[in-house]
Amino acid sequence: MNATPARSLAQHLTRATLAADVRGWYPASHELALRINDVYVRVATNAPELHHKLTRYFGEFLVEDVLSLGVPAGAEVIRVTAHEAPRRDWGLPFTAKQPDAGKRKIKEEYLDLPDGRMVHKRLTGMLFAFGHGDNMAVGPCTANDNQVVNFINNRYLELMLNRGCLLGHAAAVAHAGRGLAVAGFSGMGKSTLSLRLMSRGATFVSNDRVLVERSGDSAAPRCLGIPKQPRINPGTILANPDLAPVLTEEERITLSALPPDDLWHLERKYDAIIADCFGPGRFVPQAPLDALVILNWRRNTGEPLRVRMDSAENRPDLLPAFMKSTGVFYLPGPGGWDEDPGHAEYARGLAGVPVIELSGGVDFDAAADACMHFLATGTV
């Protein structure tokens, strides 16, 4: 039986040939450069508006001199190009990525190639190709700049996972020489709590994704973040005066009129740019990992907040709240993870790190008190 045209195309297609074609069609001349810890990221696009959006979003991580002087010798460099282009049907035999537990809609599909992988976003039509250090996004990039941001951050995450780091589903903050990650099952409020801690003087480390790095069994683990601005709901914004710049006055009036339950369940997210809300110098993507906070509370119970400190070894039931699949945007390399790490790997990575469980009723003020006390004293 003859192969279908799409499958025949896939057999002869490589990521490199696709990238060369796209870069010829839509040359990317608008550049920016970032530094994330010890890694440099060079981004180029053909879209001035996207360049403006990325420059604003990554503001505190920009390194202008790299564009003129180049990356320091020996430094690790990630290169990404983002090409504004019409949405199209690529006619390729993608495999659907099954949705995460508790979700039904298939959002992504992928195709593995001899030299990398392509991921297609069904809803937006964005196509991402990556492998062998060459990374490209093509499609309606400007309208979907959040997906371009995530792609850039995913390239950094892949590099660090291939250095042996663990991936955590958490936000993180630091204060007084200590750092903590804040994890919780979906919708528990980790971003909300981390921003409450910012309002009390903490420094932001990361939103939604963190990496756990340790150089040996005896070494204290570090928490590495990504330049991902908090993406928050209206209730979080209205409850924290420091987040006022996120909303227009008209939006604030409209949202303030909603009943609390409607506000809680409203499916609308806003980017809170840390520098706009808290001033410059409050976003530093690394810190010691002195504790892991797990939000295991429930709303509208009338119960007081309960704070309990234990260890990852004693509370393996809490680890799934922190564990995060490497996902479809990850290609394993030497030293990386051929399969998602399990409980044992996370327990080893978090060995010696206290786990602080916050249970009972949802109380962000009391939770912020407990977290700031730990950051100041090392105890709860």
Side-chain angles (χ1 to χ4, degrees), residues 321-335:
F322 181 71
M323 296 165 62
K324 183 66 180 175
S325 170
T326 51
V328 73
F329 280 94
Y330 172 65
L331 285 177

Side-chain angles (χ1 to χ4, degrees), residues 20 36 42 64 85 160 206 219 221 225 238 273 279 315-316:
I36 312 171
R42 293 196 66 159
E64 298 291 346
M160 300 308 294
S206 195
L238 294 175
I273 305 298
R315 294 300 307 274

